[in-house]
């Protein structure tokens, strides 16, 4: 499993994650292969999708045809090729737990936007918006 780190403050994390998703899609990844998990506030796209109701929101996960946005505390058994973890707030213990969960959800690549995981201190060396291999 490959782990890429993108340096970001909590305020920058959503924007950096959106950029990472765009790059993944541009490189040929199928939207249904990508799961975006947020540690802090829900991603704006998740908030939008939830406005249509919980049933429709979760149906999108089951259909698997598009990028899916969820809280990092997601307990549903989801595995996607790529998981983008957005560390956009919350205590460091929550981010560490989210990192572990994200590893369980990813089958090939975990992209961490912000400070989470065992090598989080190394993320500071990555240029903003540029992946750093862990």
């Amino acid at each position: 499993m490959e782990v890429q780190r993108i340096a970001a403050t909590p305020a920058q994390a959503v924007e950096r994650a959106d950029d990472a998703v765009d790059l993944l899609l541009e490189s040929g990844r199928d939207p249904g292969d990508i799961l975006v998990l947020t540690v802090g506030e829900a991603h704006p796209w998740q908030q939008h999708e939830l406005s249509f109701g919980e049933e429709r929101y979760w149906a999108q996960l089951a259909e698997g045809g598009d990028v899916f946005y969820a809280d990092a505390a997601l307990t549903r058994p989801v595995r996607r090729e790529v998981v983008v973890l957005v560390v956009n707030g919350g205590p460091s213990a929550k981010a560490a737990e989210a990192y572990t969960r994200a590893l369980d959800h990813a089958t090939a690549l975990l992209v961490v936007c912000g400070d989470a995981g065992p090598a989080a201190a190394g993320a500071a060396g990555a240029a903003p918006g540029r992946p750093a291999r862990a």
Side-chain angles (χ1 to χ4, degrees):
M1 159 96 67
E2 182 180 354
V3 176
Q4 293 180 357
R5 297 182 180 280
I6 299 174
T9 65
Q12 298 169 325
V14 169
E15 182 180 343
R16 298 285 190 266
D18 289 345
D19 291 345
V21 169
D22 288 345
L23 287 172
L24 289 162
L25 296 172
E26 289 169 11
S27 73
R29 293 272 186 184
D30 185 73
D33 290 341
I34 303 170
L35 174 64
V36 178
L37 300 174
T38 53
V39 175
E41 183 178 332
H43 188 282
W45 191 251
Q46 178 187 2
Q47 294 174 26
H48 170 77
E49 292 301 322
L50 280 167
S51 72
F52 298 106
E54 290 269 335
E55 187 175 322
R56 180 68 202 127
Y57 171 73
W58 291 113
Q60 288 182 345
L61 175 62
E63 292 164 4
D66 206 351
V67 177
F68 191 78
Y69 296 82
D71 187 278
L74 178 70
T75 58
R76 294 181 184 236
V78 179
R79 304 258 310 151
R80 292 236 173 145
E81 211 173 282
V82 179
V83 173
V84 178
L85 179 62
V86 186
V87 186
N88 60 331
S92 59
K94 184 176 179 185
E97 182 180 331
Y99 178 87
T100 301
R101 285 178 181 240
L103 284 172
D104 289 340
H105 292 298
T107 62
L109 173 63
L110 172 60
V111 179
V112 181
C113 299
D115 195 13
R130 306 288 260 178
R133 293 192 184 252

